[in-house]
Amino acid sequence: MLSIYYKIWVDAITQERAKKGEDGKYWKAFTIIPISLIQGVNLLTLLFFLRFFTDIPILFTLDLTRDKAINGFIAGLLVFFIPFVLLNYLLIFYNNRYNKLMNLYPAKDSKLYRNYVLISLGIIVIPFVLKLIF
């Protein structure tokens, strides 16, 4: 299971390095942010499906400001984005581990990364579209 995770990362890194250049400044950020967002979407999808069977909340409430939108945004960041950025940094970028992974898992022309993004977004979009239709 973890090898698929690493293969997706290798594809994403290869794609971003090809766009930004090997020595580009921001290719790491342009790699870690989209994958962390997609992983947050996967968690959101899982929580939506679990909500059908249990009463777990999708977002916890914060009362930092008077504005509910800002509180919801901060709560969303704390649940759906920041944990994945930290996890991905520690698993992929800490001590330049991505170099070892790129040698261990060859890139597949970004097909695996593209399919991961499309499937992840499709799984959450399809139920909403079906709900609108029916």
Side-chain angles (χ1 to χ4, degrees):
M1 178 79 169
L2 204 53
S3 67
I4 293 172
Y5 177 76
Y6 288 141
K7 288 177 184 179
I8 292 169
W9 266 102
V10 167
D11 278 353
I13 289 170
T14 304
Q15 179 182 353
E16 286 303 319
R17 286 175 94 177
K19 283 190 221 174
K20 308 288 185 235
E22 294 284 325
D23 298 327
K25 288 183 179 181
Y26 303 112
W27 69 266
K28 289 180 183 178
F30 282 103
T31 307
I32 199 167
I33 290 171
I35 289 187
S36 297
L37 286 172
I38 293 299
Q39 290 172 335
V41 167
N42 289 339
L43 178 62
L44 180 66
T45 304
L46 178 68
L47 291 176
F48 274 138
F49 285 126
L50 288 176
R51 184 152 181 160
F52 287 121
F53 304 112
T54 62
D55 249 357
I56 61 169
I58 292 176
L59 260 180
F60 62 91
T61 57
L62 288 177
D63 291 326
L64 297 175
T65 66
R66 292 181 183 168
D67 190 10
K68 286 185 178 184
I70 293 174
N71 290 337
F73 178 76
I74 293 171
L77 278 177
L78 290 174
V79 172
F80 297 112
F81 183 66
I82 292 175
F84 293 109
V85 170
L86 293 173
L87 177 71
N88 291 327
Y89 176 77
L90 292 173
L91 288 175
I92 305 299
F93 291 110
Y94 185 71
N95 286 336
N96 293 325
R97 187 157 187 251
Y98 62 89
N99 288 324
K100 294 177 193 172
L101 294 173
M102 293 189 70
N103 291 332
L104 190 60
Y105 302 105
K108 304 276 190 208
D109 299 327
S110 301
K111 290 180 182 177
L112 192 58
Y113 175 56
R114 183 191 68 223
N115 291 342
Y116 172 68
V117 170
L118 292 175
I119 289 169
S120 295
L121 293 177
I123 288 174
I124 197 165
V125 168
I126 290 172
F128 287 120
V129 170
L130 291 175
K131 189 175 181 179
L132 288 174
I133 292 173
F134 300 109

